[in-house]
Amino acid sequence: MPADSILLAGRPFPLGAHPEAGGVRFAVSAPPAEAVEVCLISEDGTEERVELTERTFGVWHGLISGVTPGQRYGYRVHGPYDPSRGLRCNPAKILVDPYATRITGALTDLDAALGYVGDPMHGGPSTVDSLGSVPLSVVTSPGGPDTGVKPEVPFEEAVVYELHVKGFTQRHPGVPQHLRGTYLGLAHPSVVEHLVRLGVTTVELLPVQAFLDEPSLVEAGRHNYWGYSPLAWFAPHPGYASEPGREVEEFRTMVSALHSAGIEVLIDVVYNHTCEGGPDGPTLSYRGFDAPGYYLHIEGGGTLDITGCGNTTEAGSPQFVRLVTDSLRYWTTELGVDGFRFDLASTLGRPGGRGFDRASAMLTAITTDPVLSRCKLIAEPWDATGDGYRVGDFGVQWAEWNGRYRDTVRDYWRGMTSVRDLAYRLSGSSDLYSDDLRRPWQSINFVTAHDGFTLRDLVSYNDKHNEANGEDNRDGTNDNRSWNCGAEGETDDAEVLALRARQARNLFATLLLSTGTPMLTAGDELWRTQLGNNNAYCLDDETSWVDWELPPEGESMLAFARRVIALRATSPALRQPAFFDGRTTPSGAPDLVWFRPDGEEMAETDWFDDGRRFLGMWIDGSTSLSRSRDGELVSDDSWLLLVHAGDEPLEVTLPGPEYGGRYEPVVDTTTADGSPATPGSFAAGAPLVLGGRSLMLLRVPG
């Protein structure tokens, strides 16, 4: 203990390390422990241990005077070591505070971090001291730069843009070299300008909570680039700071810059597993405090793995529910974020590893929290098991990544599905969400994401090409639903290249013109390729970084993306906040009508013709049910969307005068930037020729 310092009792809550009363109050949950020591680590590596003498509700706590912000620390836990019961207390292993708001150091010696000798299930505890080989916690003081006023973008107006903090700016020519790949790089005016001009309202950051490389990557000398391997759920990842130790301040600065531009910040949170892996993994934090309290276990002490990552957190544990909700509130209130995307969220509804329960303690705690209930909450509604696939099954306050949308739209444009399922996806997926009080904007529509092909690769490769990952191309999904348009990978064939660009425009336009919330993947608008790699999680190089030197195809795709996103923003009928229900509108027509190529409404039997590759969708704009920010209903023109996935041109007949007198082409995917190939307007009932594999949107002035 520092000279002249005093150990006082302190109090158990809030957990973590909090500067107060001339010192720091430490509190950590470790119910199985028989003794807990706070280890204060000096800059030269010297360790001073202070035993906490107070235990309340399984929380060990004490206030140590004379300790100040910036102090590095960890914990040593004395207690039962019995792998058959999942208990792995080992005072030789210095542990990261689960509530640490800053992390320093890395896992440099995997062997030293292992808590066992020999067999992980039957061997005894390791006596090797892990200090110097593992990360440490750092005491931080609250506060920092103002994060600005939250934009509070209505969900129905949102356009989500998924990006990687490092990869998005690492090659950006407008960002100073020392800021590339950092929080401040993302805050740079040249980067914010791109987001604003593109028209996105909400960025979704791949994991920014402090993470470590998994043991398998450490042994192979590789790194986890994506960040889905969490260590500390309160601490911003230190690797994205331009100046070591200032990650909290820099993260807040980034949020402020985006908020000033009217852009929300969501973060991808990974509460379903940790970087400690299975029983053979290292003891870095949670395993050493209370493994059964944090992880699902099976009989005999092994971990239950329904995430595919070696362990699964115990969503039914009160201390874990508290940790997750405390963490989420911290990111919302102290770091300014506007919402969260929950990785493998089905696990949070499976306490004890049982069947999914939308009313589980964890999911209920999140949605009923007075702070978190105001955030955007997005679930990835599956885990690594068949039972965990729960698209459409989450509760009323949850939006979901709609995997059904992705699969249907990909299949439609490669000619592998009919229009029946497509109609549901275009109109907000009412089959998944309308019967449980949810809204169409709770369908997060996407065609690509970080996990899988980029948009360019989706139309350029039939198969994955993941050899660079070092796993003999065994990793990554084989279910890509992609089509290379006639040649695998890079090619000089002009006809193939033209078809690829058109297919990409078809996919992108379908996404933006569908009812629901569109999510884009960073770089798709710049024609980014990963050369067919659909699982570049461990490639922190040019494969994953966005290339800002655009080829001509990239310039065209960017112009097209800006055009369609801007159109959506100014057209309330294309982003309605309520499901279509066939209601009669002032125009005298229903709010939504489906058409055949002959200009007649789809009949019941037409929907079961699996050979159909054309669909017309007429949307009435007179009562779009969209509202202004003040809550007033706003009207719009009506719209006609024509999608044609057949190879050959198709002559269609426009709907009759009861749906509008004139039809004005606005978006046409047969041109590079989406401008109409035939400007002007067409009369009701007139013939119109659609190019093979093309999409056209026509305005019907009200």
Side-chain angles (χ1 to χ4, degrees):
M1 192 158 59
D4 301 324
S5 66
I6 301 173
L7 175 64
L8 302 176
R11 60 187 188 279
F13 300 113
L15 295 166
H18 301 274
E20 59 181 61
V24 172
R25 181 179 56 79
F26 295 90
V28 66
S29 179
E34 297 165 357
V36 173
E37 296 170 309
V38 177
C39 306
L40 306 175
I41 312 302
S42 65
E43 289 301 317
D44 64 4
T46 302
E47 175 186 7
E48 296 184 69
R49 303 185 187 184
V50 180
E51 183 175 350
L52 299 177
T53 57
E54 299 292 325
R55 178 172 60 177
T56 308
F57 316 129
V59 175
W60 296 78
H61 54 93
L63 192 153
I64 306 175
S65 65
V67 179
T68 58
Q71 174 67 58
R72 300 189 303 162
Y73 72 99
Y75 287 100
R76 295 187 187 272
V77 175
H78 302 257
Y81 184 89
D82 185 354
S84 68
R85 295 191 293 141
L87 296 170
R88 296 176 178 271
C89 299
N90 185 340
K93 309 304 167 184
I94 192 163
L95 306 176
V96 166
D97 183 353
Y99 279 69
T101 53
R102 187 181 146 208
I103 297 295
T104 186
L107 176 58
T108 58
D109 186 340
L110 179 58
D111 290 338
L114 298 179
Y116 59 89
V117 174
D119 184 282
M121 296 303 301
H122 303 100
S126 166
T127 58
V128 177
D129 195 325
S130 66
L131 179 60
S133 303
V134 297
L136 295 171
S137 311
V138 182
V139 176
T140 61
S141 55
D146 185 10
T147 58
V149 177
K150 294 187 176 185
E152 295 188 342
V153 177
F155 229 136
E156 63 266 28
E157 297 179 18
V159 176
V160 181
Y161 189 76
E162 187 197 40
L163 66 84
H164 188 284
V165 169
K166 180 175 182 179
F168 195 59
T169 64
Q170 185 66 25
R171 303 177 69 181
H172 197 297
V175 176
Q177 187 68 43
H178 72 286
L179 297 182
R180 293 181 185 178
T182 70
Y183 300 121
L184 294 185
L186 186 53
H188 193 271
S190 62
V191 176
V192 176
E193 180 188 18
H194 174 78
L195 298 172
V196 171
R197 292 189 64 197
L198 182 58
V200 300
T201 68
T202 307
V203 296
E204 180 179 302
L205 309 181
L206 265 67
V208 291
Q209 294 169 315
F211 58 87
L212 285 185
D213 299 327
E214 301 93 322
S216 61
L217 291 177
V218 172
E219 292 172 342
R222 305 173 76 82
H223 300 285
N224 188 315
Y225 168 72
W226 286 350
Y228 291 90
S229 184
L231 170 66
W233 283 303
F234 287 76
H237 185 60
Y240 299 150
S242 67
E243 184 178 335
R246 295 188 57 83
E247 50 267 27
V248 174
E249 294 88 341
E250 292 190 10
F251 186 91
R252 291 173 63 104
T253 299
M254 174 198 71
V255 172
S256 177
L258 292 167
H259 281 175
S260 295
I263 297 173
E264 296 178 306
V265 179
L266 311 184
I267 64 171
D268 194 334
V269 289
V270 187
Y271 293 112
N272 58 81
H273 74 282
T274 77
C275 63
E276 290 185 310
D280 59 342
T283 296
L284 302 169
S285 181
Y286 312 94
R287 175 170 286 137
F289 287 110
D290 180 12
Y294 286 109
Y295 298 121
L296 290 175
H297 282 74
I298 58 177
E299 186 176 353
T303 55
L304 178 62
D305 181 12
I306 60 174
T307 65
C309 301
N311 63 55
T312 304
T313 50
E314 173 52 279
S317 163
Q319 72 174 337
F320 188 60
V321 172
R322 180 172 58 206
L323 183 150
V324 170
T325 51
D326 286 352
S327 165
L328 293 169
R329 277 193 301 273
Y330 176 79
W331 284 89
T332 301
T333 58
E334 293 297 322
L335 300 182
V337 306
D338 304 276
F340 307 90
R341 179 265 189 188
F342 292 79
D343 181 65
L344 300 186
S346 293
T347 62
L348 303 183
R350 301 182 66 181
R354 299 182 296 274
F356 178 78
D357 178 9
R358 68 170 68 181
S360 71
M362 178 70 80
L363 298 179
T364 299
I366 293 170
T367 56
T368 57
D369 185 277
V371 172
L372 304 179
S373 61
R374 298 186 59 186
C375 297
K376 285 184 168 66
L377 303 174
I378 301 172
E380 181 185 37
W382 49 78
D383 56 32
T385 72
D387 289 342
Y389 188 81
R390 295 291 168 175
V391 174
D393 286 349
F394 274 70
V396 293
Q397 289 175 244
W398 291 92
E400 295 178 13
W401 270 28
N402 190 344
R404 287 276 299 278
Y405 181 94
R406 173 199 59 206
D407 295 346
T408 297
V409 172
R410 287 186 177 193
D411 280 346
Y412 175 74
W413 283 111
R414 68 189 182 117
M416 298 298 290
T417 192
S418 68
V419 298
R420 186 168 59 252
D421 199 44
L422 178 69
Y424 278 117
R425 307 308 145 228
L426 290 173
S427 58
S429 294
S430 60
D431 58 329
L432 299 175
Y433 304 113
S434 68
D435 62 351
D436 59 2
L437 304 179
R438 287 199 274 181
R439 297 291 193 94
W441 43 257
Q442 288 174 280
S443 172
I444 305 298
N445 299 334
F446 66 107
V447 175
T448 64
H450 69 277
D451 186 2
F453 282 148
T454 66
L455 181 62
R456 177 175 171 180
D457 290 356
L458 188 63
V459 298
S460 303
Y461 294 89
N462 284 349
D463 303 301
K464 66 184 182 183
H465 296 267
N466 297 357
E467 290 79 7
N469 298 354
E471 299 180 39
D472 297 323
N473 205 35
R474 294 189 303 270
D475 63 304
T477 183
N478 294 314
D479 183 23
N480 295 294
R481 300 174 190 244
S482 59
W483 179 45
N484 64 21
C485 298
E488 185 73 358
E490 297 300 298
T491 181
D492 294 326
D493 188 313
E495 188 173 329
V496 170
L497 292 174
L499 178 55
R500 288 178 178 177
R502 188 163 72 253
Q503 283 287 81
R505 293 191 293 270
N506 289 333
L507 291 160
F508 192 95
T510 302
L511 175 62
L512 268 295
L513 300 177
S514 296
T515 303
T517 301
M519 185 188 77
L520 319 177
T521 304
D524 276 352
E525 79 280 10
L526 306 175
W527 207 230
R528 188 175 79 87
T529 179
Q530 291 183 170
L531 299 177
N533 194 315
N534 73 355
N535 189 39
Y537 77 102
C538 60
L539 299 182
D540 187 2
D541 57 27
E542 287 81 359
T543 305
S544 301
W545 303 337
V546 172
D547 186 356
W548 294 88
E549 294 184 9
L550 303 188
E553 300 91 341
E555 296 284 359
S556 298
M557 191 66 206
L558 178 58
F560 179 83
R562 287 172 174 166
R563 180 187 189 91
V564 180
I565 294 172
L567 176 65
R568 179 188 177 89
T570 56
S571 308
L574 298 177
R575 46 176 173 79
Q576 299 200 37
F579 287 105
F580 300 101
D581 59 9
R583 61 187 179 275
T584 301
T585 66
S587 69
D591 56 356
L592 174 66
V593 183
W594 303 102
F595 286 99
R596 303 183 312 213
D598 62 4
E600 298 297 322
E601 287 189 44
M602 291 279 286
E604 183 71 21
T605 54
D606 294 329
W607 292 109
F608 295 92
D609 179 356
D610 290 339
R612 289 187 178 274
R613 295 292 179 265
F614 168 86
L615 186 63
M617 178 184 183
W618 185 86
I619 300 173
D620 180 90
S622 60
T623 55
S624 70
L625 300 186
S626 292
R627 296 181 180 272
S628 69
R629 294 292 177 91
D630 295 325
E632 296 180 355
L633 284 170
V634 294
S635 62
D636 189 12
D637 293 323
S638 296
W639 298 90
L640 179 65
L641 178 65
L642 307 176
V643 293
H644 172 46
D647 290 326
E648 301 300 324
L650 177 69
E651 182 176 285
V652 303
T653 301
L654 294 173
E658 62 268 36
Y659 299 103
R662 307 291 298 177
Y663 294 81
E664 302 171 353
V666 177
V667 174
D668 184 349
T669 61
T670 64
T671 66
D673 65 354
S675 58
T678 307
S681 64
F682 296 84
L688 176 67
V689 177
L690 294 177
R693 298 189 186 275
S694 70
L695 173 152
M696 184 180 291
L697 178 71
L698 301 97
R699 186 193 307 272
V700 187

